[in-house]
Amino acid sequence: LEITDGMLDDAMVTVLAMGVYGNSTLESLDLSRNPSVTERGWRSLFATLQRPNCRLGKLFLKENLINSAAEFTLAKSLATNGTLKVLDLSYCRDSGEIALY
C-alpha cells in the first residue's frame, strides 16, 4: 500500500494504524513524504507494530518529520516486532534538525 506525497495527516494515520492492526495480509506500507503527520500520528502507527497480529514486513517512511518521542515509540515497537524486515527512514528529520539514515 502506497500513500505518499502529502496525502496524510495525523487523523488519517491513526485510522490507517487501526487498519494495519486488523489486517493480517498487508506486507508493505509506504508513507513517504507526508510532512503533515506529527508525533501523534507516528506514535499511533508505531504502537501498532507492537501488536502480535501485525504482519507488516516493509515500512517506508522516507522524507518525513519524525521527532524523538515518536522515535522512542518506534524503538520500543521494534524490540517486540518479529515481522518487520525493512524500515526506510532515509532523509527523515526531527523538527528539521537531525537526519536519520
Side-chain angles (χ1 to χ4, degrees), residues 8-93:
L8 294 174
D9 61 17
D10 287 336
M12 292 177 206
V13 171
T14 300
V15 170
L16 180 63
M18 288 187 279
V20 169
Y21 171 69
N23 188 321
S24 61
T25 60
L26 182 65
E27 295 178 1
S28 180
L29 184 59
D30 187 350
L31 303 179
S32 298
R33 295 175 302 283
N34 279 291
S36 297
V37 180
T38 68
E39 175 186 336
R40 189 181 101 200
W42 294 128
R43 288 179 79 173
S44 66
L45 178 66
F46 298 157
T48 299
L49 298 176
Q50 294 179 25
R51 307 289 184 176
N53 66 332
C54 181
R55 300 287 180 244
L56 201 58
K58 298 177 184 178
L59 181 58
F60 302 94
L61 300 173
K62 297 182 285 189
E63 299 178 43
N64 284 303
L65 300 174
I66 302 176
N67 71 10
S68 57
E71 291 167 356
F72 180 75
T73 304
L74 175 60
K76 283 182 18 180
S77 298
L78 293 176
T80 59
N81 181 295
T83 61
L84 192 65
K85 303 299 181 201
V86 176
L87 175 61
D88 188 347
L89 295 170
S90 57
Y91 305 105
C92 284
R93 295 184 311 265

